[in-house]
Amino acid sequence: MKVHGCQLYFNHKISSCYLRSIDGNWNEPETHIFLRNIIQKTSAKLAFVDVGANIGEMIIDVGRYPNVTHCVGFEPNPECVFACKKATALNGYTHIEIIQKAVAADSGEAQFNISEKASTTSSLVENTNRIGVTVEVTTLDAESRKFSGTTIILIDVEGAELLVMKGGKNYIASQKPLIIFEYHEGTRKRFSLEEVRGVLGPEYQILRLRQDGTLDSDLRSTWNCVAVHSDS
């Protein structure tokens, strides 16, 4: 499947993940616009970390920019991992690493709840009407040696975003990455922005990612938010 010049691999076993990409469009175009603007307007060498890589939509798009030198995608669903690795090969990328693990506050094992009807909503924290499988869990702190330097982190894990940040608290405090995280009607039931601020610290400002790919400070209605360190 070709989407905006990138190749995605269609895995029929998780067809519900593809949504708009079936028609050649990104599922979350505003995030792609924001990432493109950030990456193209800096000359810095960047690393990109995709926590909840799903079918590889974000990591495959970001991986094409010449100043993105290394990408790491974390994804516990084996069918999604298969799709990501296939897409990586289709695009000829050698700087993308796909890791079949979930990311949370602590390393170990956990139940990952897979939704057969909507694979994009599979989650560590939501288990209603889902198939539970045991997966390996890691933390950003434990994996941080893989993405040193100026880093953009995208976290889309269906309500476990705060857990990911807690497990990367030391890394975040020392490296000050730009963090994009999902925060909408569903995830608001799991954590608050005040809790996010408590983990990230007062040096981080949280902004809303708008549908046009720009940022503002109106946090009353959001889908994705962006946390920016004052030294960024």
Side-chain angles (χ1 to χ4, degrees):
M1 297 171 54
K2 181 168 282 190
V3 183
H4 293 282
C6 295
Q7 296 285 345
L8 295 180
Y9 177 82
F10 181 73
N11 183 350
H12 70 278
K13 295 181 180 179
I14 49 170
S15 58
S16 60
C17 291
Y18 291 85
L19 303 173
R20 296 178 183 174
S21 58
I22 296 291
D23 296 322
N25 298 304
W26 298 124
N27 289 322
E28 293 190 11
E30 68 277 8
T31 307
H32 290 271
I33 295 169
F34 174 73
L35 286 168
R36 180 188 66 205
N37 289 339
I38 290 293
I39 294 167
Q40 290 185 335
K41 290 179 180 178
T42 179
S43 59
K45 299 297 183 182
L46 301 172
F48 179 66
V49 179
D50 191 357
V51 182
N54 199 252
I55 58 171
E57 170 180 326
M58 293 296 177
I59 206 165
I60 293 300
D61 183 26
V62 171
R64 66 171 139 185
Y65 296 102
N67 56 325
V68 177
T69 58
H70 189 58
C71 299
V72 181
F74 294 95
E75 174 56 52
N77 186 330
E79 294 296 342
C80 289
V81 170
F82 179 76
C84 285
K85 290 184 175 180
K86 282 286 191 178
T88 298
L90 284 171
N91 289 277
Y93 292 149
T94 58
H95 62 306
I96 291 180
E97 181 180 5
I98 305 299
I99 299 174
Q100 190 173 326
K101 296 179 183 178
V103 181
D106 300 290
S107 298
E109 291 185 340
Q111 178 173 286
F112 183 66
N113 305 295
I114 299 176
S115 171
E116 290 187 307
K117 292 184 178 180
S119 298
T120 54
T121 65
S122 300
S123 172
L124 283 174
V125 296
E126 177 62 56
N127 58 18
T128 304
N129 298 321
R130 296 161 191 256
I131 299 173
V133 297
T134 300
V135 299
E136 187 175 355
V137 181
T138 189
T139 67
L140 288 179
D141 282 345
E143 303 287 342
S144 60
R145 66 187 183 280
K146 294 183 171 70
F147 38 87
S148 60
T150 305
T151 304
I152 300 171
I153 299 178
L154 173 64
I155 311 173
D156 183 352
V157 286
E158 302 302 319
E161 285 78 4
L162 182 66
L163 298 180
V164 174
M165 294 182 218
K166 285 182 176 180
K169 192 171 182 178
N170 294 330
Y171 164 74
I172 292 168
S174 63
Q175 298 300 314
K176 309 174 182 64
L178 180 74
I179 304 171
I180 306 165
F181 63 96
E182 196 170 59
Y183 189 67
H184 51 59
E185 183 179 350
T187 57
R188 285 171 187 265
K189 299 174 183 177
R190 295 290 177 180
F191 62 92
S192 69
L193 291 181
E194 285 306 310
E195 290 177 293
V196 172
R197 292 186 180 97
V199 172
L200 298 184
E203 295 84 6
Y204 267 94
Q205 181 181 10
I206 299 175
L207 300 166
R208 175 178 68 163
L209 178 55
R210 293 159 43 103
Q211 289 186 345
D212 62 359
T214 62
L215 303 177
D216 67 25
S217 58
D218 185 354
L219 300 173
R220 291 172 296 177
S221 177
T222 59
W223 185 268
N224 282 328
C225 289
V226 178
V228 185
H229 195 277
S230 57
D231 292 338
S232 175

